[in-house]
Amino acid sequence: MAKLEILETPDARLKTVAKPVEIFDDELSRLVEDMIETMYEAQGIGLAATQVNVHKRLLVLDVSDNQDTPRVYINPEIIGSEGSETCEEGCLSVPGIYAEVSRAEKVRVAARDRDGNPFEEDLDGMHAVCLQHEIDHLNGKLFIDYLSPLKRRMVIKKLEKQRKIAGEKPAGTVF
Ligand code: ZN
């Protein structure tokens, strides 16, 4: 297994719209394992392929308390949603920045597992929030894109300042 490099904003490659996975082979399995390892090492609860510069519709997440239950979603599609919830989000591709984002409270997702078998699942809580955040990555969208232009500019300024002071990354949940 290998740890992959995570792209950080304003890298334009984060705006790429990912293409569906068509071949479920060993190479895909390796990518899934590498993404899971990369997510754990970066202490994130989710990671989309886009973030490691692979533009395929694939994401991994783990919202379990002990970070021992990795989940894999390939070609995920939200086929139903309900309610709305506001949650503070962070992102491995936007280090050190946290902001409140409103999303659907509950979602039903259709996806494939790493062997290509289709499945459907109902998600809520952090699991639903994280899945929506990661699917946004596959569509080239970041959580800071939901902020007002003014707020987004402030965030980007903060990010630039932070980069000059190495190591300054406030703690929070990143995905
Ligand atoms: Zn993210």
Side-chain angles (χ1 to χ4, degrees):
M1 293 204 289
K3 194 174 168 262
L4 306 167
E5 191 197 338
I6 298 175
L7 303 180
E8 292 183 3
T9 191
D11 195 312
R13 291 173 290 181
L14 286 167
K15 294 193 192 296
T16 313
V17 178
K19 294 202 166 65
V21 171
E22 281 165 3
I23 301 165
F24 294 79
D25 58 3
D26 287 350
E27 195 187 327
L28 183 75
S29 265
R30 257 194 316 274
L31 173 63
V32 166
E33 290 306 321
D34 287 347
M35 281 177 58
I36 291 170
E37 188 189 348
T38 304
M39 170 180 74
Y40 286 142
E41 279 215 24
Q43 296 182 312
I45 61 165
L47 186 70
T50 308
Q51 292 177 278
V52 294
N53 199 29
V54 176
H55 302 287
K56 292 180 183 170
R57 303 194 77 81
L58 155 64
L59 64 90
V60 298
L61 59 83
D62 188 346
V63 292
S64 68
D65 289 339
N66 299 323
Q67 291 263 282
D68 57 3
T69 318
R71 305 294 320 274
V72 178
Y73 298 85
I74 299 173
N75 300 340
E77 261 182 82
I78 291 172
I79 54 171
S81 64
E82 215 181 284
S84 127
E85 192 175 36
T86 303
C87 178
E88 185 177 75
E89 298 187 16
C91 179
L92 293 171
S93 296
V94 193
I97 302 294
Y98 300 89
E100 299 219 312
V101 177
S102 292
R103 298 185 186 275
E105 186 186 356
K106 294 177 181 174
V107 295
R108 184 166 182 83
V109 60
R112 289 181 186 270
D113 66 17
R114 63 178 95 186
D115 299 314
N117 302 312
F119 66 94
E120 289 187 16
E121 218 174 50
D122 290 305
L123 309 179
D124 60 13
M126 191 52 93
H127 202 160
V129 171
C130 187
L131 183 94
Q132 292 172 83
H133 176 116
E134 303 309 335
I135 289 179
D136 275 352
H137 276 302
L138 301 180
N139 292 326
K141 190 166 182 176
L142 296 173
F143 80 103
I144 53 171
D145 295 337
Y146 288 99
L147 307 178
S148 68
L150 179 69
K151 185 93 196 279
R152 198 163 55 237
R153 266 210 309 279
M154 280 166 57
V155 160
I156 289 163
K157 254 200 193 130
K158 189 177 166 195
L159 207 59
E160 283 167 357
K161 208 168 137 192
Q162 203 167 259
R163 284 212 175 106
K164 287 178 196 152
I165 315 164
E168 192 202 319
K169 280 186 192 177
T173 310
V174 283
F175 32 100

